[in-house]
Structure formats: C-alpha cells, structure tokens
Amino acid sequence: EAAVTQSPRNKVTVTGGNVTLSCRQTNSHNYMYWYRQDTGHGLRLIHYSYGAGNLQIGDVPDGYKATRTTQEDFFLLLELASPSQTSLYFCASSDSGGLDTQYFGPGTRLLVL
Amino acid sequence: QQQVRQSPQSLTVWEGETAILNCSYENSAFDYFPWYQQFPGEGPALLIAIRSVSDKKEDGRFTIFFNKREKKLSLHITDSQPGDSATYFCAASSNYGNEKITFGAGTKLTIKP
C-alpha cells in the first residue's frame, strides 16, 4: 500500500505569515494532490501535479502556491496566510490520476490567527 | 457550484440496521464513482467504487447502487457496526480530463450500539 506522509501535523501562524506544508509519497506515483477539508465543503482540490516540475491548478487555488520538486515530494506554500486558510490540509497520491485510487496522508491542521 | 451532492449531512442508525447514504451528480461525463471512508484524525481511504457501466457493486456489507439515468447513487451498509462510524465521501471523475476527482461534502455516519 502507498505511503503518504505529511509534515508538520499541526501548525499555528499569524495573519501574513509564511507557511510551507510538505508531503512525501514513497510509491513513485505520478500524481500528487493538495486538498483542503472544511465542514460543509468536503475535500476541495487546491493544486495537483503529474510529475516533477509540473503543476496544475485545482478548484480553489487562490492564495496558494505549490511545487513538485521530485517524484516523491510536493509542497504547498502559503506566502501571506489569512484566517480563511485555517483548515485541515490533505495530500494524496495516485498512479494514474482521477480514475485510480487516491492514497491520502494523515493531514496537517493549520490555524491562522 | 457543487457538482457532487451528498445527503444526509449526518445519519445515525442502530447497530445491525442498514445505513443508506445518498449521492447525486450533475456532470453527465462522470463515469467513475468511488466512495471514501474517513475516521477521525485520519485521511480518507478508498472503500468501494463503481463505474457507470454497472448498476451495482458489492463488497461484503457495502453495496453501491447506481442509477445513470437519474444521476444518482447510494451506498448501503448492511448489518451496521459501531466500527463503521465515520464520514463517507462520494466522489466522481471522468474519462475526459481524468486527472482529478470531485468530492461531495460528506455524510457523517454514527452507529449506536
């Protein structure tokens, strides 16, 4: 089974702060995704990538940047964090995209004060 | 615009009863429908999935019923157990633009012993 890890697991920052969330997958999957989970909205796609150096815009990209540095590593960047970005963030990977199983990490809980 | 809708938001059933979780979608191009199960403090994990060429998919106590004409599907959990208490997400993706998946808002299921 694919292993997806995220760090940190919890993060507190202030409005305007700079935050980087990290994700690593160890099964050499092609696709990696960043979601945010909020009550009443389910999982919403922020950004995704189909390989190192590639980035695709998701459904709620405003205020977020992302970078896929290697096949294994995908980072989510909040350069000027706002309270509206307080959320639970999940990273996921899959081998062949939307028609394949997505394997999720344990999540990062972010609080922006 | 929520392309995948779930109802109810929350559901409580007694142990041993059948829980029925509903899902509907708008995009006629959707043809793959996975259900993900999420326990508190964890990331979602694939539970069961169906493709639009089928009208039923069974896996133990979990069954998906699919109605393509009405764009509706449901997840039936028979002989519900307290360990089934979780949030269930219906999701959908398409053969066209198949890199990503769209999630519903989720149904929180509680099984009372």
Side-chain angles (χ1 to χ4, degrees):
Chain A
E1 189 170 329
V4 180
T5 56
Q6 295 182 233
S7 63
R9 293 296 311 277
N10 293 280
K11 177 73 177 178
V12 180
T13 190
V14 295
T15 299
N18 207 323
V19 176
T20 298
L21 307 184
S22 303
C23 177
R24 167 166 284 197
Q25 55 98 1
T26 58
N27 262 30
S28 299
H29 282 168
N30 292 311
Y31 287 86
M32 294 186 74
Y33 303 83
W34 276 108
Y35 294 93
R36 61 177 290 171
Q37 182 177 4
D38 305 285
T39 302
H41 292 279
L43 292 151
R44 293 182 289 175
L45 181 64
I46 303 170
H47 291 298
Y48 67 102
S49 165
Y50 58 70
N54 174 264
L55 180 65
Q56 302 295 316
I57 294 173
D59 300 321
V60 289
D62 292 347
Y64 301 96
K65 293 183 179 179
T67 180
R68 180 95 175 263
T69 55
T70 65
Q71 184 78 351
E72 294 77 23
D73 298 302
F74 195 30
F75 300 92
L76 185 67
L77 296 81
L78 291 73
E79 293 185 333
L80 287 171
S82 73
S84 66
Q85 294 176 308
T86 292
S87 187
L88 181 56
Y89 291 87
F90 285 102
C91 175
S93 74
S94 76
D95 194 30
S96 52
L99 298 180
D100 198 1
T101 302
Q102 299 213 349
Y103 295 89
F104 284 82
T108 294
R109 191 168 293 278
L110 174 66
L111 173 62
V112 183
L113 299 173
Chain B
Q1 181 189 6
Q2 189 130 28
Q3 293 199 60
V4 177
R5 289 192 171 87
Q6 291 187 246
S7 65
Q9 270 191 303
S10 63
L11 176 65
T12 299
V13 302
W14 293 102
E15 182 176 356
E17 292 184 336
T18 296
I20 300 175
L21 288 66
N22 300 304
C23 180
S24 63
Y25 62 96
E26 297 177 3
N27 188 342
S28 299
F30 286 152
D31 54 12
Y32 173 66
F33 302 89
W35 286 81
Y36 282 79
Q37 180 187 53
Q38 183 183 31
F39 295 108
E42 299 181 8
L46 179 67
L47 177 66
I48 187 173
I50 192 168
R51 296 191 185 265
S52 60
V53 293
S54 301
D55 56 14
K56 182 181 176 181
K57 178 73 177 290
E58 198 168 349
D59 184 358
R61 297 184 294 106
F62 301 89
T63 302
I64 300 174
F65 293 93
F66 179 67
N67 186 322
K68 187 172 184 176
R69 184 178 60 83
E70 294 187 7
K71 297 181 188 172
K72 290 182 178 178
L73 57 159
S74 60
L75 175 67
H76 291 225
I77 306 174
T78 58
D79 189 24
S80 297
Q81 303 297 310
D84 297 330
S85 296
T87 298
Y88 293 81
F89 292 100
C90 175
S93 66
S94 166
N95 266 320
Y96 305 99
N98 63 359
E99 294 182 319
K100 60 181 186 178
I101 196 166
T102 300
F103 286 87
T107 293
K108 184 176 181 181
L109 176 65
T110 302
I111 310 298
K112 285 192 171 181

